[in-house]
Amino acid sequence: MGRFDGWKSKRAPVIIGTGPDMTKTLVIGIDPDTECSGVASVNKGTGARELFTAPFWDVIGFINQFRDHIRVVVIEAGFLNPKSNFRDRAQISGALQSENAVAALASAKRVGEKISEKVGRNHQVGILLIEYCRREKIPFMGVQPIGHKITSTRLFQQMYGIKTAKADQEIRDAFHLISGL
């Protein structure tokens, strides 16, 4: 079973649960987020697509509602990425050259810590979704995000024929996860 790897130079590491159930028709992609996760589903039998954002418990409800039709749930597993500290070299260099280097470095540190906290919380949502699917014996794959996001709405529409709003990055990421399945 292939997965669209886009412009990536290597295959993404994958966590596989029970494996896809090819007798079923629904493929779901989820880009986890603490506020609203991106969700994309494609019915392989009819071609029907649904793309939306939803808070964690609504995503769980969506999975439960269609559990008897799920071929596989593909979850972005950002926690598989190597550790990052979210400190920009240029930002730190600029802070050191400022008049009040201590205050500038402290500010850069606070920004990095806030980003790290948000990323960690998003990772936890992904871990919980994977654990839920594992516990409920719902076929799933956790896929490490490698490569680039499709930030251009025009490029996304050219690739997949789906028009999205600029703010719908989570939806584009969720659909991109399942595009090659």
Side-chain angles (χ1 to χ4, degrees), residues 3-4 6-7 29 31 38-42 49-53 76 148-180:
R3 179 181 164 280
F4 176 69
W7 305 272
D31 178 29
V39 179
S41 68
V42 175
R49 299 184 288 206
E50 189 172 356
L51 292 85
F52 60 93
T53 58
E76 185 178 270
H148 302 285
K149 293 180 176 286
I150 302 174
T151 57
S152 165
T153 57
R154 188 172 40 153
L155 176 60
F156 186 79
Q157 185 173 3
Q158 287 172 345
M159 288 175 69
Y160 302 120
I162 301 170
K163 186 172 176 125
T164 62
K166 184 66 178 164
D168 290 339
Q169 184 66 53
E170 291 85 10
I171 290 172
R172 288 191 296 275
D173 292 345
F175 189 81
H176 190 59
L177 282 169
I178 61 173
S179 62

Side-chain angles (χ1 to χ4, degrees), residues 13-167:
V14 174
I15 299 170
I16 298 179
T18 57
D21 181 347
M22 300 307 283
T23 64
K24 304 206 176 158
T25 58
L26 192 63
V27 176
I28 300 173
I30 302 173
D31 178 29
D33 192 89
T34 54
E35 294 173 21
C36 278
S37 296
V39 179
S41 68
V42 175
N43 183 313
K44 293 298 189 173
T46 66
R49 299 184 288 206
E50 189 172 356
L51 292 85
F52 60 93
T53 58
F56 178 79
W57 291 110
D58 290 350
V59 173
I60 294 293
F62 181 77
I63 292 169
N64 277 332
Q65 180 181 357
F66 296 104
R67 73 181 306 138
D68 293 336
H69 305 283
I70 294 175
R71 178 179 291 183
V72 67
V73 177
V74 182
I75 302 164
E76 185 178 270
F79 56 87
L80 293 175
N81 285 338
K83 183 178 176 185
S84 299
N85 63 10
F86 300 103
R87 285 174 180 69
D88 180 71
R89 205 173 262 165
Q91 184 182 26
I92 291 171
S93 176
L96 289 172
Q97 294 173 12
S98 69
E99 285 184 32
N100 189 346
V102 172
L105 282 172
S107 175
K109 184 177 182 211
R110 280 192 302 277
V111 168
E113 287 171 351
K114 285 186 184 281
I115 292 170
S116 293
E117 179 184 359
K118 181 167 177 29
V119 168
R121 292 177 65 199
N122 286 350
H123 289 178
Q124 188 60 40
V125 171
I127 290 167
L128 290 172
L129 287 166
I130 286 172
E131 289 304 313
Y132 179 78
C133 288
R134 181 176 282 135
R135 187 188 87 178
E136 296 297 315
K137 297 189 179 17
I138 296 168
F140 76 91
M141 293 176 6
V143 179
Q144 178 187 11
I146 59 175
H148 302 285
K149 293 180 176 286
I150 302 174
T151 57
S152 165
T153 57
R154 188 172 40 153
L155 176 60
F156 186 79
Q157 185 173 3
Q158 287 172 345
M159 288 175 69
Y160 302 120
I162 301 170
K163 186 172 176 125
T164 62
K166 184 66 178 164

